[in-house]
Amino acid sequence: HTEVFGPEDGYPIVLAHGMAGFDELFGVYEYWYGIPSALRDKGATVFVTEVSQFNSTEVRGEQLIDQIETITAITGKPRVNLIGHSHGGLDVRYAAAARPDLVTSVTSVTAV
């Protein structure tokens, strides 16, 4: 049995940045380096979230939950797929534990 997430399941993909995260640096460097557009090209609905750059997982997780609630309201979808990078991985796990009703899947990634 293979779990499918993304465009196939119809739920939005929500990207959560790590510590000191940003959307774009100096108008040149994208934090997610083309990942949102690549996913959108495959038919996914993608949202890039923004939480406090330097704060506890609990504070950042609650900020993320607020944004997830907005995303579900905007899209009409009851749940989202979460992808967190670095400290964002902790944030998405916090959000999933606190509000499992809003989350379909959780993925944590890091740079090697």
Side-chain angles (χ1 to χ4, degrees):
H1 178 264
T2 302
E3 292 294 322
V4 177
F5 77 96
E8 293 83 7
D9 76 3
Y11 296 114
I13 296 173
V14 175
L15 302 175
H17 65 77
M19 191 174 292
F22 52 87
D23 184 30
E24 193 173 83
L25 188 60
F26 307 120
V28 178
Y29 180 78
E30 292 179 43
Y31 184 91
W32 289 100
Y33 194 67
I35 292 171
S37 60
L39 290 168
R40 288 180 185 118
D41 288 348
K42 297 293 184 183
T45 302
V46 181
F47 291 87
V48 177
T49 59
E50 187 174 333
V51 298
S52 300
Q53 291 184 332
F54 301 102
N55 221 319
S56 69
T57 300
E58 293 78 14
V59 169
R60 290 167 51 105
E62 289 295 330
Q63 292 171 349
L64 181 59
I65 289 168
D66 288 345
Q67 292 175 63
I68 294 168
E69 289 172 340
T70 299
I71 291 165
T72 58
I74 289 169
T75 63
K77 301 290 183 177
R79 294 186 303 279
V80 300
N81 295 293
L82 296 174
I83 300 176
H85 171 252
S86 190
H87 193 164
L90 299 173
D91 302 338
V92 297
R93 285 180 273 181
Y94 175 92
R99 290 296 307 275
D101 58 307
L102 296 176
V103 180
T104 296
S105 70
V106 173
T107 303
S108 296
V109 294
T110 188
V112 178

